[in-house]
Amino acid sequence: MAKLIRTALFLGLLMAAAGALLAGIDSVTEPRIEANERQRRQATLKELTGFDIEMRGHEDVAACDRDLVALAVVAQGYGGSMDVVAAFRGGRLWGMRVTRHGETPGFADILDPSDWIGRIDADSRVDAVTGATITSNAVLRARDEALARWDAETWCAE
């Protein structure tokens, strides 16, 4: 019985040490992961808009400058929520980019801006992308929400 208690205590201490080690590693790496994610999102927004802008969190307005309004929209995809930025320039939908998603690798390739999402506009109609219906519908819902919320006068007045 004493041996069983010693073994249980040893395993408990081992688990506590492993947990503390993982928590320490997480606290050290978290700021770097966040910085890398912010940098990746900024690069995506620069690709969309043509200039450097910074989007913080899930704010509604990513940019309002140079005849450009970029709205942040969250849509529910197959793998969870997707952060999408829709840019409006010259009174029309200029383009869209997905800045964060949890979609299945491979299926999420449809989110590549060189594919259909890079050419989507207010009138685009996509029935579905084969094998990724939920993901493609989420992008279209994000586009529709951005179009419903967009008004250059309102967003840029502040």
Side-chain angles (χ1 to χ4, degrees), residues 5-131:
I5 292 174
R6 268 196 318 261
T7 303
L9 285 174
F10 174 75
L11 288 175
L13 288 173
L14 186 62
M15 286 189 299
L21 179 64
L22 288 174
I25 290 171
D26 182 61
S27 68
V28 169
T29 59
E30 185 177 13
R32 186 170 202 170
I33 291 169
E34 287 176 6
N36 288 342
E37 178 64 17
R38 199 169 32 259
Q39 184 178 21
R40 186 195 59 75
R41 289 180 76 182
Q42 282 184 254
T44 300
L45 293 173
K46 183 174 184 175
E47 173 190 315
L48 173 63
T49 63
F51 57 94
D52 287 317
I53 59 175
E54 182 174 346
M55 188 170 123
R56 297 166 300 278
H58 293 284
E59 292 181 15
D60 284 340
V61 180
C64 189
D65 189 18
R66 303 178 196 175
D67 190 33
L68 174 87
V69 178
L71 299 179
V73 181
V74 178
Q76 190 64 30
Y78 180 76
S81 63
M82 298 170 45
D83 293 347
V84 180
V85 174
F88 295 88
R89 180 175 268 163
R92 67 178 193 87
L93 182 61
W94 180 259
M96 294 176 55
R97 295 294 184 275
V98 176
T99 58
R100 185 190 61 79
H101 68 82
E103 302 303 283
T104 306
F107 290 124
D109 293 345
I110 70 162
L111 301 174
D112 184 339
S114 64
D115 201 0
W116 66 278
I117 192 173
R119 296 185 303 272
I120 199 167
D121 62 23
D123 300 319
S124 293
R125 195 171 111 69
V126 178
D127 291 327
V129 176
T130 304

